[in-house]
Amino acid sequence: MSRFLYRLGRAAALRPWRVVVAWVLFVGAAAGVSVVAGGALQDDYTLAGTGSQQATDLLKERFPALSGADARVVVRARSGKVDAAAVEAARGRLQRLPHVSGVAPAVPSGDGATALVTVRYDVPVTGLPTARTLDRLRDATAPLKAGHAVEFGGQVPENVTAPGGAAEAVGVVAALVILLLAFGSVVAAGLPLVVALAGLGAGVSGITVLAAVTNVATTAPTLAIMVGLGVGIDYALFILTRHREGLAAGLAVPEAAGRAVATAGQSVIFAGATVLLALSGLVVSRMPAFMAMGFATGIVVAMTVAAAVTLLPAVLGLAGRRVLRRRDRRAGAVVVVDSPRVRRWADLVARRPWAWLLAALLLMLTLAAPALGMRTWPSDASSEPTSNTARRAYDLVAEAYGPGANGPLLVAVDLRRVPADALPGLGSGLARAPGVVAVAPPQVSPGRDAAVIVVTPAYGPQDERVTGLVEGIRERVLPDGAEITGFTAAYVDLTRRLEDRLWPVIGVVVATSFLMLMVVFRSLLAPLKAAAMNLLSIGAAYGVLTAVFQWGWGTELLGLPHSVPVSSFILLLLFAVLFGISMDYEVFLLSRVREEWLRTGDARGSVATGLAATGRLITSAALIMVAVFLGFALDPGLVIKQMGVGLAVAVALDATVVRMVLVPATMALLGRANWWLPRPLARILPDVDVHGVEPEPGRTEPVPV
């Protein structure tokens, strides 16, 4: 592969405009295809086989009026009681809005100061332009604002996507500053960003095309951009650094670019493959939403890898020697890569490995400890800032009707299996269930073959007691032929399903990554140690997320109104993304360590040399990723916010505690055993050099290092 990559990189640097124009045409064509044949983003959290899904399917089949989206109009009198006539007039205007199938009569609160109007649509929320639909709700209720406060809740306002771009902009600016400080050249600092953005452009168009053939969650593009921007800049950084070394050594620009792609480029391809492998583990979840998120992020990562090994050498050819500092261009000075400070640090850790190992483990386990009490739960309107109308509607409903009115439970009864005369007894049983404050009379379907009973719990949707309430009703109250749904019950099922799927995903990702690293490094202990350390980083990230969000240690700084559970989606997504990114750093570090080991046979010295050679590069790359991910912590979406914080914490720990302490300490303790491989395995495993090959001086064809 390295021979092919050498020719590819050299040819791109020799004929840069051809490659640049080809990429411009490719990105433009991808954008055109996405406009013509792309699909709309749709959240699909179908939970096949769960009780809530069975009840939802029954209601959709036999209660067509309940199958569409809903919105809630909450009207609160500024003084006295609500003007009933004005509310009724607003109901008439709401009824005439597009896609509205019905508007329920206003439900007054006990003191008459609040009225709740439910608007039903004839299409699901994914079929509505939510922002425009919310604007129409505001227009229809505008006359009410003379003497009332009017807020909007339900599916429509809660699915309005806030305008993005701020998080991405913060990440890009921070990355540019770090690159400028690292390279001292505006040209060198800008090239990784250009390459990463080109890959993002093609990848995001690919996500839109993917949405035409399967449901892709509305948060998938933001997640993909976050990961793609981080790894794209890093991959370009690795190749650019090797290219600068070649230029400083006196190589011509095309030759330096070819060598950089043949060596660092091969490592980039392998590192990208590890990220794709980790993302593919989401297939094991057997949940369409997570599988689509993995595919979407994988498309962007693949495009950034392709841009790094093709577009980057082309723009390097155009930039010439301007990627070096000005003084280095004039003097032809050698770019210093080896860091004496990192070498001395590695020697210090190697002299007392047990002390450093135990101290680092204690720190990582302390950070991970809060995860033992982690509570996962999907976010709802109560997690939004008070500037959001859905949050204000949530608070008004909780104050006027009780917290459980924000998450009513729907009991769907199949009257083909349950006698109709059993409905009164079922209603009485539901009313007696602990944690239930109200049970509405049963509504029978037009075909008289199904019924739905609305149950109001005493607890809000995020209350920990809700899970016990739902499970208690299922076990002790509901007969065969009846099930419970509503988004609160669906949250219970979703959280359980994600917890059940987490361990299979972890097992598959860890096992396949172990096998891949075993092939690359021809060792049993090195990949095993890498997997264990990655799990430590992920555990620490889970612990910090628990402390920051669930314990509330950083909620105000992140723009949240109060502490919130860790989003249920985080467990799977964060694991898959983090494991892949952590393996990137492991590949770049261990490949240099193994190279020195094969050259010298010095187990301890090879670790110090490998760290000294890659320490500065990995630190710069980690700083860029941390900056990018922290930028996404500003995103208004809770899932993206928590992903940004978790990824930033894990990468920071991975580049410091893991790479600078745990790696040298464990490798010093293991010595030659780091590279032990049983002879039977050694005979059957292919010999892969992830670090690539370089041509000898005066040759244009690469030979093995």
Side-chain angles (χ1 to χ4, degrees):
M1 180 186 288
S2 58
R3 286 178 169 82
F4 168 75
L5 291 175
Y6 169 76
R7 296 191 188 99
L8 178 65
R10 191 169 185 274
L14 285 171
R15 301 173 182 83
W17 283 114
R18 295 184 184 181
V19 179
V20 171
V21 171
W23 261 95
V24 171
L25 293 175
F26 173 66
V27 174
V33 171
S34 70
V35 171
V36 174
L41 300 174
Q42 296 187 15
D43 291 311
D44 177 15
Y45 297 111
T46 302
L47 299 171
T50 62
S52 61
Q53 189 63 49
Q54 293 170 11
T56 299
D57 293 342
L58 179 68
L59 294 180
K60 285 182 178 180
E61 177 187 349
R62 304 183 192 179
F63 283 88
L66 298 179
S67 61
D70 70 78
R72 284 176 151 190
V73 180
V74 187
V75 183
R76 178 66 176 266
R78 299 189 187 280
S79 62
K81 296 185 178 182
V82 168
D83 185 340
V87 172
E88 191 62 26
R91 284 187 63 237
R93 293 189 295 271
L94 291 168
Q95 184 67 64
R96 295 191 291 271
L97 294 180
H99 293 292
V100 170
S101 60
V103 180
V107 178
S109 61
D111 59 2
T114 306
L116 179 63
V117 178
T118 300
V119 181
R120 289 240 165 240
Y121 294 85
D122 57 10
V123 293
V125 70
T126 53
L128 290 171
T130 50
R132 179 61 185 141
T133 303
L134 180 57
D135 288 340
R136 288 170 177 156
L137 290 173
R138 289 191 171 111
D139 293 341
T141 56
L144 283 173
K145 294 186 178 179
H148 306 83
V150 182
E151 302 296 346
F152 305 92
Q155 291 178 320
V156 169
E158 290 178 15
N159 280 272
V160 173
T161 304
E168 292 89 336
V170 170
V172 168
V173 171
L176 182 60
V177 171
I178 295 170
L179 288 168
L180 188 59
L181 293 174
F183 289 131
S185 165
V186 174
V187 174
L191 290 183
L193 290 174
V194 170
V195 172
L197 292 175
L200 286 179
V204 171
S205 297
I207 294 174
T208 306
V209 175
L210 177 67
V213 297
T214 186
N215 290 330
V216 177
T218 53
T219 56
T222 306
L223 173 65
I225 290 172
M226 176 168 56
V227 176
L229 187 61
V231 301
I233 294 174
D234 277 8
Y235 293 164
L237 174 64
F238 293 137
I239 296 175
L240 175 60
T241 300
R242 182 59 66 92
H243 175 73
R244 281 163 50 93
E245 292 177 34
L247 290 181
L251 295 178
V253 172
E255 187 68 17
R259 291 179 180 229
V261 175
T263 52
Q266 182 159 302
S267 295
V268 162
I269 290 175
F270 182 82
T274 61
V275 176
L276 294 176
L277 181 66
L279 290 171
S280 67
L282 292 174
V283 174
V284 182
S285 71
R286 292 184 289 167
M287 298 180 66
F290 288 90
M291 294 167 63
M293 284 184 183
F295 294 147
T297 307
I299 289 172
V300 173
V301 171
M303 288 296 101
T304 58
V305 171
V309 298
T310 56
L311 179 60
L312 179 58
V315 293
L316 290 175
L318 292 174
R321 298 183 64 81
R322 284 174 294 175
V323 296
L324 296 174
R325 297 174 187 267
R326 185 167 298 178
R327 65 173 181 268
D328 293 340
R329 277 180 259 158
R330 288 197 305 266
V334 176
V335 176
V336 178
V337 176
D338 188 276
S339 172
R341 290 182 180 178
V342 175
R343 183 184 291 274
R344 288 195 295 270
W345 172 262
D347 290 335
L348 175 65
V349 173
R351 283 197 294 270
R352 304 188 67 180
W354 276 113
W356 288 104
L357 174 63
L358 294 176
L361 281 176
L362 180 62
L363 173 61
M364 297 294 280
L365 293 175
T366 300
L367 291 174
L372 296 174
M374 177 190 290
R375 177 177 180 251
T376 60
W377 193 256
S379 61
D380 59 22
S382 67
S383 303
E384 298 293 334
T386 53
S387 58
N388 188 299
T389 185
R391 167 63 193 281
R392 293 196 296 267
Y394 183 100
D395 291 342
L396 288 176
V397 169
E399 179 183 350
Y401 302 93
N406 279 300
L409 307 175
L410 304 179
V411 176
V413 185
D414 186 351
L415 294 182
R416 296 174 182 174
R417 301 172 59 191
V418 178
D421 56 10
L423 289 177
L426 176 58
S428 299
L430 290 168
R432 290 194 300 270
V436 172
V437 296
V439 177
Q443 301 176 44
V444 180
S445 66
R448 314 295 296 178
D449 55 358
V452 61
I453 302 174
V454 180
V455 178
T456 303
Y459 324 121
Q462 285 199 8
D463 194 296
E464 294 185 40
R465 294 169 289 183
V466 162
T467 300
L469 170 62
V470 171
E471 293 177 345
I473 290 175
R474 283 173 170 165
E475 293 174 3
R476 294 186 290 272
V477 179
L478 298 185
D480 291 339
E483 250 303 345
I484 190 168
T485 187
F487 74 85
T488 302
Y491 283 176
V492 172
D493 290 340
L494 175 63
T495 301
R496 290 283 187 248
R497 177 65 60 86
L498 290 172
E499 291 173 352
D500 292 341
R501 293 287 187 266
L502 177 62
W503 293 110
V505 170
I506 289 176
V508 169
V509 171
V510 172
T512 52
S513 299
F514 171 81
L515 292 175
M516 182 177 288
L517 290 182
M518 184 174 65
V519 170
V520 170
F521 296 120
R522 301 185 68 79
S523 165
L524 282 181
L525 293 181
L528 184 63
K529 175 173 55 65
M533 291 182 182
N534 287 350
L535 292 175
L536 272 177
S537 297
I538 295 170
Y542 285 162
V544 172
L545 280 175
T546 303
V548 170
F549 290 94
Q550 185 175 319
W551 294 0
W553 286 7
T555 50
E556 292 184 3
L557 292 175
L558 295 168
L560 293 173
H562 51 72
S563 61
V564 295
V566 177
S567 174
S568 301
F569 308 115
I570 289 297
L571 288 180
L572 281 177
L573 289 177
L574 191 63
F575 173 80
V577 173
L578 271 181
F579 203 86
I581 291 175
S582 296
M583 280 299 181
D584 282 1
Y585 294 138
E586 191 74 12
V587 168
F588 286 109
L589 172 58
L590 287 189
S591 61
R592 294 300 289 264
V593 174
R594 184 170 184 268
E595 181 182 350
E596 287 300 314
W597 156 254
L598 293 177
R599 189 176 65 85
T600 65
D602 182 358
R604 179 175 294 185
S606 63
V607 176
T609 301
L611 272 176
T614 60
R616 183 177 299 174
L617 178 59
I618 289 178
T619 300
S620 298
L623 278 175
I624 291 170
M625 277 205 180
V626 169
V628 169
F629 295 149
L630 284 180
F632 280 86
L634 303 176
D635 192 274
L638 183 61
V639 173
I640 299 300
K641 190 185 295 288
Q642 292 186 346
M643 281 290 292
V645 173
L647 288 170
V649 169
V651 169
L653 292 173
D654 199 80
T656 54
V657 179
V658 172
R659 303 298 156 218
M660 301 301 291
V661 180
L662 287 175
V663 167
T666 54
M667 296 193 80
L669 288 171
L670 293 172
R672 300 175 66 89
N674 283 296
W675 311 110
W676 173 74
L677 184 68
R679 289 185 179 179
L681 276 179
R683 286 194 294 268
I684 63 175
L685 290 180
D687 194 359
V688 178
D689 183 9
V690 70
H691 200 59
V693 295
E694 288 188 359
E696 293 177 349
R699 293 174 60 103
T700 58
E701 290 293 327
V703 297
V705 173

